[in-house]
Amino acid sequence: MLKNNWLLVTRFARLVDNAIVVIAFYLAYSFRDLILDTLLPESIVRDISGGQLGEIHNYFFILGIALPLFNACLSLFGAYQRLRFSSILSLLRIAAASSFVVFLGIGATLFLFKLDYSRSFVSLFCIISGLLIFTQRIATLQLLRSMRKRGKNFRNVLIVGTGALARRLYLDIVRQP
């Protein structure tokens, strides 16, 4: 089922990843002060947060930079390749590396254009994006594995021939489904 529609699946995955980045943007904007107050002592929060955030429409510039960067980084790091043989560690590497590169890209853009946006917001946005993308990838991997256990998304193999070579090929396929 999935192998026949892989292009459709990857497009859907890109759409979901973009939605996750937008959700992470709103979460970082809405809960920045709450998260910083919860995680860090008050004296550090005062130094890091830099005061109140501006209006949200002023921060859409960051979202406009982040979406294409996330799309490029996730593609570059192999997020849209087949998940069948992916490990949790490789999924974490993809999400963390993408978030870090996007953080550097946003930071470089803000520095080059001498724009003054909240660094804590940008950091929190990239961290939340990475965590949500990682969580989504794990959920997708578990869903695909459970579908496979129920007999979905298999490839059929026809062995033509007889004798010891055919039996050995059959045993190799059975040992490594």
Side-chain angles (χ1 to χ4, degrees):
M1 174 182 106
L2 293 177
K3 61 184 166 273
N4 296 332
N5 300 313
W6 187 247
L7 185 61
L8 180 67
V9 170
T10 56
R11 286 185 181 159
F12 180 72
R14 287 178 193 272
L15 182 66
V16 169
D17 288 339
N18 286 329
I20 285 173
V21 170
V22 171
I23 290 168
F25 175 80
Y26 283 108
L27 287 174
Y29 184 83
S30 300
F31 298 110
R32 179 194 74 137
D33 294 333
L34 177 68
I35 292 171
L36 288 179
D37 289 340
T38 305
L39 295 177
L40 300 172
E42 186 177 331
S43 61
I44 296 175
V45 170
R46 209 174 318 112
D47 294 338
I48 291 176
S49 69
Q52 293 291 89
L53 293 176
E55 294 183 23
I56 194 166
H57 64 83
N58 295 332
Y59 282 82
F60 286 151
F61 177 76
I62 292 174
L63 186 61
I65 296 169
L67 279 172
L69 277 175
F70 264 114
N71 284 319
C73 289
L74 288 171
S75 292
L76 180 70
F77 294 129
Y80 302 115
Q81 295 174 356
R82 301 197 191 277
L83 289 175
R84 186 179 198 175
F85 300 111
S86 297
S87 68
I88 291 177
L89 188 61
S90 68
L91 297 177
L92 178 63
R93 181 192 58 82
I94 290 169
S98 297
S99 292
F100 184 69
V101 170
V102 169
F103 175 75
L104 291 178
I106 292 172
T109 304
L110 296 178
F111 177 77
L112 288 175
F113 291 114
K114 297 184 185 340
L115 299 172
D116 189 28
Y117 286 96
S118 170
R119 292 181 299 272
S120 62
F121 167 76
V122 173
S123 303
L124 194 59
F125 166 57
C126 290
I127 289 169
I128 292 172
S129 296
L131 289 174
L132 289 178
I133 287 172
F134 175 62
T135 305
Q136 179 259 341
R137 292 277 184 243
I138 288 177
T140 303
L141 182 64
Q142 294 302 325
L143 175 72
L144 291 174
R145 286 181 178 170
S146 71
M147 285 176 59
R148 190 160 178 79
K149 285 179 183 176
R150 287 184 276 149
K152 307 281 188 213
N153 199 27
F154 272 106
R155 291 183 191 228
N156 296 322
V157 176
L158 176 65
I159 300 173
V160 179
T162 59
L165 185 60
R167 278 191 293 276
R168 193 169 63 220
L169 179 61
Y170 167 75
L171 291 175
D172 286 342
I173 291 171
V174 169
R175 275 189 224 116
Q176 195 178 38

